[in-house]
Amino acid sequence: MERRQFLSGSSALALLLLGGCSQGLGYSLTEAIRRLLSLSSQRALARLMAPGGFYDSQVARITLPDQLGGNGTGSMISRVLLNGLVRDRLLRQVNRAAERGAERAAPVIADAILSTSPQDAAAIIKAAGTPAATNLLRQHMGNTLVAAILPGIDEGLRVFDNEVVTEALRAATGINFAGLRDDVTRKASDAIYAEIGREEMAIRADPRSTGDPMLIAALTAASAL
């Protein structure tokens, strides 16, 4: 029985590999991986761009820099300066800024997905149990995502970019506005990849839920190997 399942899976995967050369089959493993990444990123970004998408998420919530007590520490003066409502307001604002940054992520992610090669696809489909497609996407993109979302995060944080607040942050922690913006941007980029990876794993676990015949064929065949 296991041998028949293995052979069946191998045959289906072979058809997918050959699909790009055979219009009659209409299946392409590379296209299947692109669809996997596209669907994963669309779902992840839709959730993150919704009101409270970052702040309400246990995975994606952006914390304040360590110097501001983001890890539960921080200097005495920073804790006094940024206590209560002020600190909560800043925490919520950095997460709203991350939402605005995420709005700029979709085009650059879509472009990167199009660069998926047959060699990439073959390696990804065999990497069961890991968000291999997301990991490779991140590797290929390098700093592209950070550069893309930074302007949106910059805009989202501008409400705090006044002389009084900027000087207070610098005096208490050594962090200026640019330092806060860069910290939030890096964390937002990490959160976006984490959410895409989570969606990828959910699709791999239940490809039929997508209703996409190509994804179902590719992931079902791979799971049978």
Side-chain angles (χ1 to χ4, degrees):
M1 179 64 177
E2 291 181 357
R3 177 177 173 80
R4 284 199 301 271
Q5 289 178 336
F6 175 84
L7 292 175
S8 175
S10 297
S11 299
L13 189 57
L15 291 180
L16 287 164
L17 288 166
L18 292 172
C21 303
S22 174
Q23 294 181 355
L25 291 174
Y27 286 106
S28 164
L29 183 56
T30 303
E31 178 61 22
I33 295 303
R34 288 174 179 169
R35 292 191 186 191
L36 172 62
L37 278 171
S38 294
L39 185 57
S40 298
S41 60
Q42 289 165 9
R43 289 179 174 180
L45 290 174
R47 184 167 58 251
L48 291 174
M49 289 188 295
F54 280 85
Y55 186 84
D56 293 337
S57 170
Q58 293 183 345
V59 174
R61 178 185 282 197
I62 307 300
T63 59
L64 297 176
D66 291 348
Q67 297 94 316
L68 296 176
N71 64 349
T73 62
S75 68
M76 178 63 71
I77 189 172
S78 70
R79 291 198 295 272
V80 171
L81 175 69
L82 294 171
N83 66 353
L85 294 177
V86 175
R87 187 177 182 279
D88 182 67
R89 183 184 172 201
L90 180 57
L91 181 62
R92 289 180 180 276
Q93 186 63 25
V94 299
N95 280 274
R96 285 196 295 268
E99 292 171 22
R100 187 169 296 185
E103 293 172 2
R104 297 173 177 247
V108 294
I109 290 176
D111 286 344
I113 290 171
L114 290 176
S115 69
T116 304
S117 70
Q119 292 76 18
D120 293 336
I124 288 169
I125 203 66
K126 296 174 183 177
T130 68
T134 303
N135 293 342
L136 192 62
L137 174 69
R138 183 170 193 168
Q139 179 182 329
H140 284 340
M141 291 192 71
N143 292 322
T144 303
L145 182 59
V146 169
I149 67 177
L150 187 145
I153 290 173
D154 184 273
E155 293 173 3
L157 290 174
R158 281 296 168 186
V159 67
F160 287 101
D161 189 23
N162 60 68
E163 184 176 355
V164 174
V165 173
T166 299
E167 282 303 306
L169 287 173
R170 186 194 60 75
T173 67
I175 299 175
N176 57 18
F177 176 83
L180 177 62
R181 178 201 62 200
D182 293 347
D183 183 81
V184 173
T185 301
R186 176 181 57 78
K187 290 174 179 175
S189 174
D190 290 343
I192 289 171
Y193 285 121
E195 288 291 334
I196 295 174
R198 186 166 73 160
E199 288 295 338
E200 177 190 346
M201 293 303 294
I203 293 171
R204 282 179 177 269
D206 185 15
R208 294 189 181 280
S209 66
T210 67
D212 185 321
M214 185 177 289
L215 271 178
I216 294 169
L219 296 176
T220 302
S223 65
L225 293 178

